[in-house]
Amino acid sequence: RAFRYLRIAARGPSDVEVLDTAMTLRHYPVQARGHFRCSDDRLNRIWDISARTTRLCMQQFYEDGIKRDGLLWIGDYRVEYLCNVIAFGDHALARKCLHMMAASQREDGAIPSCSSHGGGHQHPEGIAYMPAGIPHACVADWILLNYDGDFISCVKEYVWHSGDRKILADLWPCLKRLAGFLMNFDMDRARVMDDYITDGLPSLAATILNVLWGLGDLLTLAAWQGDASLEGPVNRWRRDMEAKVWAKFHDPTSDLFVEPSADGGDPKTSWILNSYAVLAGLPKTSADA
């Protein structure tokens, strides 16, 4: 896979003579359609490496990595599909992946961050390098709220780039159930991944903004689908959440969104947090929220 390494093991009572070896490079059948060249050779190399990496991660589904998990994670898929759109222009594999993600949806409407239940895994058993050799049975049930927001945006981006409106009709019941889960979730618990609380998870503010972004994209999808039933509930939820974000995370001195430091120090900010605020469509001032 991807020519990362070759290991030949011969086990037996006597020596083995290797006469020949052969290798086949495996990846999804796409052709290079996008090209980039400029006067900076480093940028040219970055493009080449990035396009090649994207292509190698396009196997039976979008893998997060050819050597590591080998899983269909929503967040990894989102980046890889957008890279593919520019480099290869393929939409068929993305359509398959979106259906696999939807097939993993729980009864409460949440979509697990990894689509193992929908067939999005290459390893038959546990993943050795993960804590305690975490098995698929555990990974497949992880819920990351920012990834659930991402799923909605993934559908919008796919429809936007592919022009495929049929998949929207197919996935619309799934999207409505997911929206219900997100709008009924206690966002003050947004650090929670099922019953696990991990400091390494996305910040509370960024997670909420990611969900706001996704539900904003849901309104666009609803308009494309011709379903006005979600407009009122989603807009009310967004207005309420925007007001909470301004009240809890906005620093009027710097006019930036910040988050309390985990060590009790001064609040911290980042370009990611404030970029998410823009992408989530937050009003320009708290008075407009």
Side-chain angles (χ1 to χ4, degrees), residues 103-141:
S104 300
Q105 189 172 36
R106 302 191 317 190
E107 289 186 4
D108 63 359
I111 296 181
S113 306
C114 154
S115 303
S116 271
H117 288 312
H121 63 85
Q122 59 151 308
H123 300 297
E125 298 177 354
I127 305 171
Y129 69 83
M130 279 188 160
I134 292 176
H136 284 131
C138 177
V139 176
D141 292 326

Side-chain angles (χ1 to χ4, degrees), residues 33-254:
R33 298 182 183 277
H35 302 276
F36 173 84
R37 282 296 178 268
C38 70
S39 59
D40 188 330
D41 186 57
R42 176 174 292 184
L43 290 178
N44 293 335
R45 290 172 59 202
I46 289 173
W47 165 272
D48 292 339
I49 292 171
S50 300
R52 181 174 184 271
T53 300
T54 299
R55 186 176 190 178
L56 292 173
C57 287
M58 296 171 69
Q59 300 286 339
Q60 296 302 312
F61 49 84
Y62 278 96
E63 297 180 3
D64 70 308
I66 49 178
K67 185 175 183 289
R68 282 176 53 92
D69 305 13
L71 299 170
L72 174 57
W73 293 93
I74 295 174
D76 297 81
Y77 157 88
R78 186 176 185 186
V79 175
E80 290 169 342
Y81 171 65
L82 293 175
C83 291
N84 150 75
V85 166
I86 301 300
F88 309 114
D90 177 76
H91 303 295
L93 188 61
R95 180 185 177 87
K96 176 183 178 182
C97 289
L98 291 173
H99 279 291
M100 292 169 71
M101 295 172 194
S104 300
Q105 189 172 36
R106 302 191 317 190
E107 289 186 4
D108 63 359
I111 296 181
S113 306
C114 154
S115 303
S116 271
H117 288 312
H121 63 85
Q122 59 151 308
H123 300 297
E125 298 177 354
I127 305 171
Y129 69 83
M130 279 188 160
I134 292 176
H136 284 131
C138 177
V139 176
D141 292 326
W142 282 357
I143 302 298
L144 295 175
L145 295 181
N146 56 310
Y147 274 27
D148 275 349
D150 278 333
F151 177 76
I152 300 171
S153 298
C154 286
V155 176
K156 178 195 171 186
E157 289 160 354
Y158 169 81
V159 175
W160 178 268
H161 288 290
S162 69
D164 178 5
R165 293 290 183 96
K166 183 180 182 303
I167 193 174
L168 179 55
D170 294 341
L171 296 181
W172 192 240
C174 167
L175 289 166
K176 293 182 74 171
R177 289 194 298 272
L178 176 58
F181 168 79
L182 291 172
M183 289 190 292
N184 285 287
F185 192 89
D186 181 0
M187 285 295 156
D188 289 331
R189 296 180 59 246
R191 290 180 185 272
V192 177
M193 178 174 63
D194 278 357
D195 295 327
Y196 301 92
I197 302 177
T198 307
D199 291 337
L201 291 178
S203 73
L204 176 59
T207 299
I208 293 173
L209 290 168
N210 208 146
V211 173
L212 274 166
W213 181 7
L215 287 174
D217 284 344
L218 183 71
L219 292 176
T220 300
L221 291 171
W224 291 348
Q225 178 65 12
D227 185 345
S229 64
L230 288 177
E231 184 175 352
V234 171
N235 278 324
R236 286 192 295 272
W237 185 91
R238 281 174 52 83
R239 285 194 297 268
D240 179 62
M241 197 55 57
E242 286 168 359
K244 290 182 178 179
V245 169
W246 277 100
K248 188 169 185 175
F249 300 111
H250 183 252
D251 174 27
T253 302
S254 63

